[in-house]
Amino acid sequence: MTTQSVRRLAAALTVTGALTVGITAVSTAQEPQADVVRTDKGPVRGVADGRSVVFNGIPYAAPPVGAQRFTLPQPAAAWSGVRDGSKKGAVCAQTNTEGTALLPGSAEDCLYLNVTTPRKPGKPKPVMVWLHGGGWNNGSGNDYDGTWLSETGDVVVVSINYRLGTLGFLGYPGLKDSGTYGLADQQAALRWVQRNARAFGGDPRNVTLLGESAGGLSTCAQLASPGARGLFHKAIIESGACSMNWPADLQYPGATVQDWWAPRSELKATGETVGKQIGCDDLACLRKADPLQLLTLTRYFGHGGTGTPLLPVDPRTALKAGIGSRVPVIEGNTRDEQAYFGWLFELDGKFDEAKYQQYLVKSFGDRAATVARRYPSSKYDSPMQAWNTVGSDRAWICTALTDSKQRAKRAPVYTYSFADRTATPYLDFPPGYRTDAYHSSELPYLFDFGPLLNPAQQEVSRTMLRYWTNFARTGDPNGPGLPVWKQYGRSGTGQSFQVGGATSVDLDALHNCDFWRGLK
């Protein structure tokens, strides 16, 4: 693989579903007005546009620096005077796409959140807390403008930053909370919401936790965590199933077998071994180490630590056993998740039929011929589209539907597919590459990323926003003027979103899930 290919591979893997491309939302603000809200730590002044008010950069926990590095989040300090809520807080420390420098504007002092609330008066509003994606190693809540969501559904939207990479998920001897510091930050933010929602017009008894990619995985973790019980009352998991996993070489060339959870004992042993790579033989050294040095180890710490106080039971085991919060859940995927990564297989040449067969063997071994019969490239526009369909069905969608089957035994579950294959790519895909409804392509339909949607896509966006916010309000996405969205456990169907309208679809059949569940 050439040096340029390696760099492009690194760039793709660093984003893993996060919005790290510096998108700036187009402002529709009128003459700004000032609103002041008093939080439990002090007053903050927001910026209003006549329809909503945004309060940025509110600290929800103390800076996790110095002796507080690799500790659970501590209470934020109170402040005097009125805090300026027009400026966002720092992004949590993360490296650039080549892993050679800290991303500009990122820092360890990063435990801040942003609140968007509609100006419309009335009774306390539902609160929606957004967890960003990025493979637990990059991204920021700052990238998501919650104005559309807030105004469309008359809800309060909270987006947060949480610790990432080694700083958020390190395992090491002596750290009982190994692999969970970023997840603990999320819980601290949820506790902040419980204390402060009413000040922003929100209802702390009606909180929906939602996230995409690693944010979806985080939501899954919080559903399984005893410490999160009662902090939220509904959940939306987008492209981040607990059981999501990849065979070798499926997500990107050269990938090992991948999943998202690891026992604390395994993470501790890893930390003790790889800490020596930066010259550290003990925890005291790691607490003093340069952040960039620590983040060079991030590839070893992309797992949530199980057997810990926050996750005493692996979320997959908890789901099967019925352990955890039994709340209504929306769970789903984009139809063509793997198209986000498929172009990586063409870095060193066209992905033709020979390559398709070669990678089927790499990923599935002696079952490759069985997979090829179910997914012959002749059924698709190209071997690449066939490969992306294999990856989407096997790793992303059927694992989510299997999880949803478990959840539906104990609480209402609604499944979906974002299937708009006309979605405009907001990432830097190679010219001519077919992106379809790639991983994260639904995000511009939920958040304001600027003028990316045509009128037909805007209608899809409005439909999704109404479903999402109806669900946040009542635990049921259905409402007047919307096509009926049936509960998955009762019907076996999900809702498909695309230009032309929302329709009911048998997602298990569409994605060959019985085939994948039976493949041994």
Side-chain angles (χ1 to χ4, degrees):
M1 190 176 287
T2 66
T3 301
Q4 183 180 15
S5 296
V6 170
R7 287 177 178 172
R8 294 198 72 185
L9 174 60
L13 299 182
T14 344
V15 292
T16 313
L19 192 60
T20 59
V21 292
I23 291 174
T24 302
V26 171
S27 173
T28 57
Q30 302 168 2
E31 187 66 26
Q33 303 169 358
D35 277 33
V36 176
V37 165
R38 181 169 293 278
T39 74
D40 63 331
K41 299 299 182 181
V44 59
R45 177 180 288 107
V47 177
D49 67 0
R51 298 171 300 166
S52 59
V53 191
V54 180
F55 303 83
N56 288 318
I58 304 174
Y60 67 85
V65 299
Q68 300 304 315
R69 182 187 276 178
F70 307 129
T71 66
L72 295 178
Q74 301 300 307
W79 60 85
S80 59
V82 179
R83 188 180 182 92
D84 181 6
S86 67
K87 299 177 182 178
K88 295 177 179 179
V91 171
C92 284
Q94 53 197 273
T95 60
N96 63 17
T97 56
E98 296 181 30
T100 58
L102 289 175
L103 191 70
S106 69
E108 284 191 79
D109 179 3
C110 65
L111 300 187
Y112 299 94
L113 53 77
N114 310 307
V115 181
T116 303
T117 184
R119 293 192 65 101
K120 183 179 177 182
K123 63 183 180 180
K125 305 175 190 301
V127 182
M128 302 184 76
V129 180
W130 174 256
L131 304 178
H132 69 81
W136 287 336
N137 62 57
N138 61 70
S140 168
N142 293 352
D143 291 324
Y144 299 86
D145 182 335
T147 304
W148 285 356
L149 193 57
S150 177
E151 292 177 357
T152 300
D154 195 29
V155 299
V156 176
V157 178
V158 179
S159 62
I160 76 166
N161 296 338
Y162 56 90
R163 280 175 283 181
L164 302 167
T166 310
L167 293 164
F169 294 88
L170 175 78
Y172 204 80
L175 295 179
K176 68 176 182 178
D177 301 295
S178 289
T180 64
Y181 296 105
L183 300 173
D185 294 343
Q186 297 166 9
Q187 289 190 8
L190 287 167
R191 290 192 293 271
W192 183 94
V193 168
Q194 287 299 306
R195 298 192 306 272
N196 292 285
R198 289 193 185 280
F200 294 88
D203 185 353
R205 299 167 302 177
N206 191 7
V207 176
T208 298
L209 185 65
L210 69 162
E212 185 267 348
S213 195
L217 286 161
S218 297
T219 303
C220 164
Q222 303 302 349
L223 283 164
S225 175
R229 205 159 298 162
L231 297 181
F232 63 96
H233 313 94
K234 307 170 192 71
I236 301 176
I237 300 172
E238 301 179 21
S239 305
C242 295
S243 301
M244 183 169 59
N245 68 88
W246 291 265
D249 283 294
L250 184 57
Q251 188 182 19
Y252 59 90
T256 57
V257 174
Q258 296 170 281
D259 63 31
W260 291 93
W261 317 102
R264 176 178 64 173
S265 57
E266 180 182 315
L267 295 177
K268 286 165 60 177
T270 299
E272 189 170 28
T273 300
V274 303
K276 294 179 172 59
Q277 294 182 18
I278 60 171
C280 283
D281 292 315
D282 57 34
L283 188 55
C285 175
L286 290 172
R287 286 203 166 111
K288 295 176 182 176
D290 181 274
L292 180 57
Q293 283 187 302
L294 289 169
L295 291 173
T296 63
L297 305 177
T298 286
R299 65 186 180 278
Y300 300 107
F301 299 110
H303 298 85
T306 63
T308 56
L310 191 142
L311 284 178
V313 179
D314 185 308
R316 296 165 295 188
T317 304
L319 182 56
K320 292 176 183 176
I323 300 169
S325 299
R326 300 185 178 186
V327 301
V329 172
I330 288 177
E331 182 164 19
N333 296 85
T334 67
R335 177 167 180 170
D336 307 289
E337 298 271 11
Q338 187 64 26
Y340 184 100
F341 300 95
W343 61 273
L344 297 169
F345 292 85
E346 292 193 321
L347 287 174
D348 293 325
K350 184 173 176 60
F351 193 87
D352 56 15
E353 180 66 21
K355 267 194 177 180
Y356 179 51
Q357 297 299 329
Q358 173 191 351
Y359 272 98
L360 285 175
V361 172
K362 284 186 174 185
S363 293
F364 301 105
D366 58 8
R367 299 164 298 168
T370 303
V371 177
R373 284 193 294 272
R374 181 55 64 105
Y375 292 85
S377 62
S378 58
K379 282 180 55 178
Y380 303 91
D381 288 349
S382 67
M384 173 57 74
Q385 193 193 25
W387 178 244
N388 284 343
T389 305
V390 167
S392 298
D393 291 359
R394 160 60 183 83
W396 299 84
I397 297 169
C398 292
T399 54
L401 290 168
T402 297
D403 284 1
S404 291
K405 285 181 185 294
Q406 295 290 341
R407 294 191 195 284
K409 296 176 182 177
R410 301 173 179 90
V413 174
Y414 299 86
T415 60
Y416 76 88
S417 171
F418 176 78
D420 182 7
R421 286 177 160 169
T422 73
T424 303
Y426 61 82
L427 300 171
D428 184 22
F429 290 102
Y433 174 71
R434 176 172 172 168
T435 55
D436 288 329
Y438 61 94
H439 178 65
S440 78
S441 58
E442 88 280 17
L443 294 179
Y445 293 68
L446 301 176
F447 296 95
D448 188 352
F449 285 5
L452 291 178
L453 308 184
N454 62 37
Q457 293 167 336
Q458 290 172 17
E459 186 58 35
V460 177
S461 171
R462 282 189 286 269
T463 297
M464 291 180 66
L465 288 169
R466 288 180 62 196
Y467 277 127
W468 261 234
T469 55
N470 285 347
F471 179 78
R473 183 162 283 103
T474 67
D476 184 338
N478 293 288
L482 290 171
V484 173
W485 187 348
K486 299 177 183 178
Q487 284 188 32
Y488 182 61
R490 295 178 182 175
S491 67
T493 63
Q495 207 77 335
S496 178
F497 301 109
Q498 64 280 312
V499 169
T503 56
S504 184
V505 175
D506 185 338
L507 295 176
D508 282 88
L510 179 64
H511 297 285
N512 297 302
C513 293
D514 285 343
F515 167 79
W516 290 111
R517 293 178 188 125
L519 192 69
K520 303 298 182 184

